[in-house]
Amino acid sequence: MSFSVRPATIALATLGALTTGLLAYAAYFDHKRRTDPEFRKNLKRESRRIARVTREEAEAQGANQKRRIREVVTEAQEEGFPTHVEEKESYFMNEVGRGEVLCQNEKTHVDAALCFFKALKVYPQPGDLITIYDKTVPKKVLDIIAEMVAFDGSIPVGGFGGGQGSDAGGSTGAVDD
């Protein structure tokens, strides 16, 4: 007489054994965590180490981004900007279009911000354009643009990134009689 085991039975038994092992480990871990002071200390120590490493990586990434922002702004200044009205209009439209495409990908936020910054440099009313950016550009990109404007220093803006309800733009909304 031949005894055969169906594959479904083997799979079910394997799944049951894995689940039982996982639950047993969870119970062991919980017991160890509750009763062993040295184990708790090691968990806290490891948690603090991971938090410190994460914080250091974030700081390093922020420093690298600031360095890159300074580099791209300096390069843009060295390239120069158009001076004739028709060239400015074309340049503006081209840079805003490129910026909109680039800000879709988080890895190209600095490049997107550079495009918007270049458009801002040739726009006749930079404060108005910043208000538009504030409503349409993602916050991360807007923050990078703010750093670029701060580094450049030659764009006359009242307040940057004031958001709704702030008095960042002065009295631009007032109507003169």
Side-chain angles (χ1 to χ4, degrees):
M1 183 157 118
S2 166
F3 181 70
S4 69
V5 180
R6 295 187 324 200
T9 306
I10 293 172
L12 189 58
T14 304
L15 182 62
L18 288 173
T19 303
T20 303
L22 183 64
L23 288 174
Y25 178 74
Y28 164 77
F29 183 84
D30 187 52
H31 173 72
K32 194 82 162 152
R33 180 183 59 85
R34 289 177 187 224
T35 59
D36 188 356
E38 191 62 33
F39 188 74
R40 280 196 305 267
K41 284 180 187 176
N42 287 338
L43 284 176
K44 284 183 182 180
R45 196 174 300 132
E46 184 66 18
S47 175
R48 283 189 298 243
R49 186 189 67 78
I50 290 172
R52 179 179 44 83
V53 167
T54 303
R55 185 182 67 245
E56 288 171 356
E57 287 175 355
E59 289 172 358
Q61 185 179 15
N64 285 340
Q65 181 172 329
K66 286 185 184 219
R67 180 188 47 76
R68 180 146 186 265
I69 287 170
R70 292 177 189 272
E71 289 173 359
V72 297
V73 169
T74 303
E75 287 175 19
Q77 291 169 337
E78 290 171 359
E79 289 174 8
F81 300 96
T83 56
H84 292 79
V85 175
E86 296 83 18
E87 292 173 350
K88 283 183 177 182
E89 287 177 11
S90 172
Y91 185 79
F92 173 80
M93 294 305 291
N94 183 36
E95 293 300 324
V96 168
R98 284 183 51 219
E100 288 174 351
V101 170
L102 290 171
C103 73
Q104 303 302 320
N105 183 353
E106 195 166 319
K107 294 180 180 179
T108 58
H109 276 178
V110 173
D111 297 327
L114 179 63
C115 292
F116 290 125
F117 172 76
K118 287 179 176 180
L120 187 64
K121 288 287 283 186
V122 297
Y123 198 74
Q125 300 291 328
D128 295 343
L129 186 58
I130 288 174
T131 303
I132 294 169
Y133 285 170
D134 197 26
K135 295 174 184 171
T136 59
V137 175
K139 177 155 178 34
K140 290 181 180 179
V141 176
L142 192 63
D143 291 342
I144 297 169
I145 297 169
E147 288 184 43
M148 290 177 170
V149 169
F151 177 71
D152 179 55
S154 68
I155 298 176
V157 292
F160 191 87
Q164 294 179 351
S166 71
D167 193 26
S171 62
T172 58
V175 178
D176 294 318
D177 285 24

